[in-house]
Amino acid sequence: NGQHARLSHALGLLMLPLFLALGASSLNPAATAWGGLAKLDLAALQARLQAIAEAKSSQYECRISIAVEAALGLSLAAGSPGAFVWGSVTKLATGAALMQLVAAGKVTLDEPIFPHIDPGLADLGLGSMASLFGAEARLISLRHLLSMRSGIPDYDTAKPYPPPPTDPFRADVYAHLDAPFTPVTLLNLSWVRLGKLDFPPGMNFSYSSTNFVLAGLALASLTGAPSWDAYDQADLLSLLPPGRRAQYAGLRFSDGRSPAAEGAVVGYDRTNYNGANASARPGFDVSSVPGVFGGWTASNLIGSPAVVARLAYDIFGAKGPRVLPAAQVAEMLPQEPPAGRGRFDSFYGLATFNLSIMGMTGQSALSPFSRAYGHLGATYGYDSVVGYFPGIDTAIAIASNIETDSQDQPSDTMCFAYNAVLAAVRGVPEPQCTFGKRSFYGGSCQCGNDFTCNQGMCIRDPLRGSLSKEDCASVCSK
């Protein structure tokens, strides 16, 4: 839930600063960074992460939880304990599950996907992809669904701009506290079932969670589940050795019950949508709202940050057992932009955001440590993010129990947590960082790397600068 309508406003701001030299980054230049684990002061790092979690918890008046998963079995957790709701982070799991089937040869990325979705739609009384979205829907591939390039309308109606922010679907969810909002409900919404696509498949990008509801129906069909709700999303972990699977205790996917019934920490909506007062404390309690999980395979993941960071590592990580073969991981990654300009496929790959251009790392764009990818998670009452940082072969998950208009708190916390971990791994002093929000999708983690080359001179520019002083001098000298 909660991300597509902010995209057009966000991209103009988001794509400006970091494209100059990201292509120079190595995908995994420091996979052995944790090789000096015996020399690493884990107690000091744990204490630093705890201090960050407590500071951000106080700043945002909410629960903040941090987890780190790296090679050699290293796991750290700090902040508030408990199971959180992860919203669209679920898409990362759904995408990885489908990529497992691609690796197994059960489906391809580029063939029409309707033969694997239409039977499920028919069983639900929804007809077919063509009857829901028009004849062009028969051209939609799995790649189109997972890359948000299908043209399928979004069930999520959040519109923050222009103010005042409105969200008719949210109002409907809050008005029906006994309704789980199943795929049938979502696909029957009048603004979804239009009989046409928003654009021809592959011709544009538009963040739409409906893509991942349909991806769930494809998963159910391809795995032989007798119905959509019989599909076990935890099958994603079946390729891991038993010992590794045992470390996923507490990772689960909601069956449509409320957060309270699922055992999640209490979450609060602190947005301004539909005339609500974002400054009210503690905010609107969503504990009894099943619609928090309304997107099913788009937004129903529950668990501690530790198991979510572990999942990200087991998808993207360089060492140990893997959820996916390396070839399918590479397919998921957002493509690096050409120098100087942005592309939609550099913003979002297959079920994967390019966090490098979202201002979370604070590292120079020429540095191997600026690279990051993963997924944001925003749903009613909860904001989160999980990222994988190939420069140090590490995954970090950040969870909060509030939802805000701009989801600042996970990105802000990630800025400080990542730089604390990076400094500890490299054995250097932690930089002094600040964080500022630019848009719903992007922020500005500033750790001194805000130089840009302007007419052959290096200048500091907090908005457009993305280089260290040394890297800027190198760029300007060419």
Side-chain angles (χ1 to χ4, degrees), residues 30-42 71-72 74 319 392 424-427:
T32 59
W34 293 91
L37 190 60
K39 300 179 181 179
L40 188 64
D41 190 341
L42 292 178
L72 307 176
L74 180 101
K319 297 182 179 180
I392 54 172
V425 171
R426 298 180 66 197

Side-chain angles (χ1 to χ4, degrees), residues 14 18 347 353-360 376 435 441-444:
L14 189 61
L18 297 180
F347 178 70
F353 276 110
N354 187 350
L355 301 182
S356 309
I357 62 175
M358 292 181 173
M360 292 191 198
L376 305 177
F435 181 83
Y441 283 93
S444 177

Side-chain angles (χ1 to χ4, degrees), residues 165 170 269-280 284 405:
R170 182 188 301 258
D269 179 343
R270 288 190 195 163
T271 69
N272 285 300
Y273 286 108
N274 305 323
N277 180 7
S279 64
F284 177 70
D405 287 333

Side-chain angles (χ1 to χ4, degrees), residues 49 52 66 396 398 412-422:
L49 293 173
I52 292 169
I66 303 170
I396 303 176
I398 310 291
D412 187 351
T413 306
M414 182 69 85
C415 167
F416 286 85
Y418 171 59
N419 279 284
V421 173
L422 177 61

Side-chain angles (χ1 to χ4, degrees), residues 43-383:
L45 179 56
Q46 169 75 42
R48 175 61 183 138
L49 293 173
Q50 183 65 32
I52 292 169
E54 291 175 359
K56 296 306 174 185
S57 177
S58 176
Q59 177 181 343
Y60 291 103
E61 301 177 86
C62 68
R63 293 191 184 195
I64 294 285
S65 189
I66 303 170
V68 177
E69 184 79 14
L72 307 176
L74 180 101
S75 298
L76 294 172
S80 297
F84 288 78
V85 176
W86 291 84
S88 287
V89 171
T90 310
K91 293 178 174 70
L92 185 59
T94 300
L98 280 160
M99 294 303 286
Q100 286 179 334
L101 299 179
V102 171
K106 293 185 177 181
V107 66
T108 71
L109 281 171
D110 296 307
E111 67 184 5
I113 195 66
F114 76 87
H116 304 297
I117 295 177
D118 280 1
L121 292 175
D123 288 345
L124 295 173
L126 294 171
S128 65
M129 293 270 285
S131 63
L132 288 172
F133 310 116
E136 279 191 313
R138 294 172 65 88
L139 302 176
I140 293 172
S141 67
L142 180 58
R143 187 186 301 276
H144 292 143
L145 290 180
L146 297 185
S147 65
M148 305 290 188
R149 298 176 69 90
S150 70
I152 291 172
D154 198 350
Y155 66 80
D156 180 15
T157 59
K159 290 182 175 60
Y161 309 104
T166 61
D167 191 349
F169 182 63
R170 182 188 301 258
D172 194 22
V173 167
Y174 289 175
H176 298 89
L177 298 184
D178 58 344
F181 289 86
T182 65
V184 176
T185 304
L186 298 176
L187 294 172
N188 260 324
L189 292 169
S190 60
W191 57 88
V192 174
R193 188 174 187 157
L194 294 175
K196 63 178 182 178
L197 298 174
D198 288 341
F199 51 83
M203 294 300 292
N204 207 338
F205 172 94
S206 181
Y207 193 99
S208 171
S209 291
T210 313
N211 286 309
F212 281 77
V213 177
L214 294 168
L217 294 179
L219 275 169
S221 172
L222 288 162
T223 57
S227 63
W228 71 270
D229 51 354
Y231 168 64
D232 184 359
Q233 291 169 260
D235 279 350
L236 167 68
L237 305 175
S238 62
L239 297 183
L240 295 173
R244 185 62 168 177
R245 289 201 305 272
Q247 296 178 34
Y248 278 91
L251 181 75
R252 56 195 186 277
F253 299 89
S254 173
D255 58 7
R257 297 182 297 166
S258 68
E262 296 286 4
V265 301
V266 177
Y268 299 96
D269 179 343
R270 288 190 195 163
T271 69
N272 285 300
Y273 286 108
N274 305 323
N277 180 7
S279 64
R281 295 292 182 269
F284 177 70
D285 184 342
V286 301
S287 298
S288 60
V289 182
V292 167
F293 301 111
W296 182 40
T297 42
S299 60
N300 69 343
L301 176 63
I302 311 161
S304 67
V307 294
V308 173
R310 188 161 299 133
L311 177 61
Y313 187 84
D314 286 350
I315 293 172
F316 297 120
K319 297 182 179 180
R322 304 189 70 148
V323 167
L324 284 176
Q328 278 64 51
V329 173
E331 286 275 10
M332 293 179 70
L333 301 185
Q335 300 301 305
E336 292 293 1
R341 74 180 196 276
R343 296 186 318 218
F344 283 122
D345 56 355
S346 67
F347 178 70
Y348 199 84
L350 302 183
T352 306
F353 276 110
N354 187 350
L355 301 182
S356 309
I357 62 175
M358 292 181 173
M360 292 191 198
T361 71
Q363 297 299 302
S364 175
L366 278 176
S367 165
F369 304 116
S370 69
R371 188 82 168 104
Y373 36 86
H375 218 286
L376 305 177
T379 189
Y380 310 136
Y382 304 87
D383 287 333

